[in-house]
Amino acid sequence: MSIAAAAALRALSCYDDRGSLKGALTLTDIAAFIEGLPKVELHLHIEGTLEPEMLLALEARHGMSLPYASVEAARAAYRFTQLQDFLDLYYQGTSVLRTEQDFYDLAWAYLSRAHAQNVIHTEIFFDPQAHTARGVPFATVIAGIRRALDEAAARHGLTSRLILCFLRHLDETDAQRTLDMALPYRSWIAGVGLDSSEAGHPPSKFARVFARARSHGLRAVAHVGEEGPAPYIWEALDLLKVERIDHGNRAIDDPSLVDRLHGARMPLTMCPLSNLKLCVIKDLRDHPLRRLLQQGLAVTVNSDDPAYFGGYMTENFTAVQSALGLTAAELIQLTRNAIDGSFAGESERAAMTARLAAFARTIY
Ligand code: ADE
Ligand code: ZN
């Protein structure tokens, strides 16, 4: 770690137990610390990394015409009052992804940025139904992403896992068909997830397809408690038998659920800037992340759809540290939770833990 990062870590320790600032701390100090922190991302939609620049480049590559005259016009359209507003633009954006090269370019751009931000391991969602419904073969999607993942491992030592998400606004039969398409690629896929419009689409709708996926050794996660209520989180645990909760903000409403999540050491993959942009919270200072962390939950920080929500991992850590006054120990704990909750193998997790410990040792 650089001298600046070590100084920043000492400075961050100037918060007392309640998060109040005891000593002077400059923005440069915090930036150096967050930059130096080895990061692990567990909640990232590859289609949500499509920056306006690439959207327009792919539009031109394929001779298409989308409603944006410029990069600025596209970015200006990214204003949302709820999840569905975002999903409408997100699915429209996927229309430029057609060839294996497109998926490779998309994934490689994300992995390069992640590496530049000191992300050492990432677990990536993809939404095959958003592509197969347009006639793009499953093989095209996964082969492009996979090529980029292999290259990131070889060139940067950046490890990864791939998680196939079922779109919950579609029916169970469509999800089962998607699982059929995925099974020939079983060795490239670590798990299944559930995303898209939450309200009115409870996890129970997908209990059978998740059971079938688990019978093939796939791990299970689900988006719940983002806009949907706490009972959806119970369903994800009891019916889908998930190993991680994606978002889970609404757990804070139900003390018995908090106890259950605590007892199970269940990771919550929280996404601060996403929640702000989609009006899940009004202000980052209201975010439940720190309260849940202080209750002992295995909370993590993630970027969700960074091209649409104004930031990748570093920007999420920076925003949430500033809004909630997170201490150095809490920032390190968030990363420890991500390592422990990841689907990486035992030796990969041990190596990440050692790297985090080396970072922390330079100041304690
Ligand atoms: N798909 C991409 N991002 C999502 C989010 N934040 N919630 C639900 N589905 C999504
Ligand atoms: Zn998400």
Side-chain angles (χ1 to χ4, degrees):
M1 182 169 56
S2 70
I3 292 169
L9 194 47
R10 271 193 299 278
L12 275 164
S13 307
C14 293
Y15 285 108
D16 67 21
D17 287 345
R18 305 179 66 214
S20 310
L21 193 57
K22 290 195 294 188
L25 182 60
T26 69
L27 287 175
T28 318
D29 290 336
I30 298 170
F33 170 72
I34 291 175
E35 188 190 319
L37 181 68
K39 301 170 196 69
V40 170
E41 174 140 69
L42 301 180
H43 184 154
L44 179 281
H45 301 262
I46 200 64
E47 295 88 350
T49 69
L50 181 61
E51 292 284 345
E53 288 81 358
M54 186 176 287
L55 178 81
L56 296 193
L58 295 181
E59 178 194 14
R61 180 184 284 177
H62 299 304
M64 299 169 65
S65 73
L66 286 175
Y68 310 117
S70 64
V71 164
E72 293 69 33
R75 222 167 242 125
Y78 296 172
R79 280 173 218 266
F80 317 112
T81 58
Q82 55 181 341
L83 174 60
Q84 193 60 52
D85 298 343
F86 155 70
L87 290 171
D88 292 343
L89 286 197
Y90 170 89
Y91 294 124
Q92 180 188 73
T94 61
S95 65
V96 301
L97 298 166
R98 297 183 162 199
T99 64
E100 198 222 272
Q101 187 65 35
D102 298 340
F103 287 94
Y104 167 84
D105 289 344
L106 178 72
W108 182 250
Y110 160 68
L111 291 161
S112 303
R113 278 180 186 261
H115 175 62
Q117 292 198 345
N118 217 4
V119 173
I120 58 172
H121 177 80
T122 181
E123 305 205 347
I124 297 180
F125 296 129
F126 72 120
D127 285 336
Q129 288 154 295
H131 313 299
T132 53
R134 298 180 288 112
V136 179
F138 187 96
T140 300
V141 178
I142 197 163
I145 298 172
R146 174 72 191 198
R147 182 153 64 89
L149 299 182
D150 286 347
E151 203 170 316
R155 281 171 62 172
H156 301 314
L158 172 47
T159 55
S160 59
R161 292 292 183 276
L162 201 49
I163 299 173
L164 180 164
C165 275
F166 300 116
L167 299 183
R168 68 201 308 159
H169 67 273
L170 301 178
D171 62 22
E172 188 202 353
T173 309
D174 211 301
Q176 293 281 14
R177 264 199 301 266
T178 304
L179 182 57
D180 292 338
M181 290 180 213
L183 287 175
Y185 302 92
R186 166 70 191 85
S187 65
W188 287 0
I189 302 171
V192 293
L194 187 63
D195 67 359
S196 195
S197 323
E198 187 179 4
H201 299 287
S204 51
K205 191 175 154 185
F206 298 96
R208 283 182 295 222
V209 69
F210 267 67
R212 188 157 79 94
R214 284 188 282 100
S215 78
H216 287 278
L218 289 159
R219 320 288 291 261
V221 300
H223 282 57
V224 270
E226 180 185 17
E227 279 192 346
Y232 282 19
I233 304 178
W234 285 103
E235 280 194 13
L237 297 170
D238 292 334
L239 303 181
L240 305 188
K241 307 203 184 304
V242 296
E243 296 179 62
R244 295 199 299 246
I245 296 290
D246 296 318
H247 294 292
N249 297 47
R250 297 266 54 88
I252 197 93
D253 301 338
D254 180 346
S256 60
L257 177 56
V258 171
D259 284 349
R260 166 85 181 266
L261 296 168
H262 184 259
R265 283 297 295 158
M266 181 65 54
L268 300 191
T269 65
M270 304 198 96
C271 306
L273 288 177
S274 162
N275 294 155
L276 188 63
K277 272 284 197 174
L278 298 184
C279 304
V280 168
I281 48 166
K282 283 202 189 74
D283 190 302
L284 268 185
R285 286 171 297 186
D286 302 331
H287 201 284
L289 179 147
R290 192 169 197 223
R291 282 172 285 154
L292 292 170
L293 189 65
Q294 287 176 337
Q295 291 181 67
L297 265 59
V299 175
T300 66
V301 169
N302 306 274
S303 71
D304 205 7
D305 301 283
Y308 293 90
F309 300 148
Y312 289 75
M313 284 292 272
T314 293
E315 291 80 10
N316 271 275
F317 267 108
T318 304
V320 85
Q321 188 285 326
S322 157
L324 302 179
L326 297 175
T327 65
E330 286 172 327
L331 292 169
I332 287 173
Q333 184 64 43
L334 287 163
T335 299
R336 193 176 294 129
N337 292 342
I339 295 169
D340 294 345
S342 82
F343 294 152
E346 214 171 299
S347 62
E348 282 172 307
R349 275 187 282 126
M352 290 191 266
T353 302
R355 200 149 158 194
L356 182 64
F359 175 75
R361 250 197 320 274
T362 54
I363 49 96
Y364 288 124

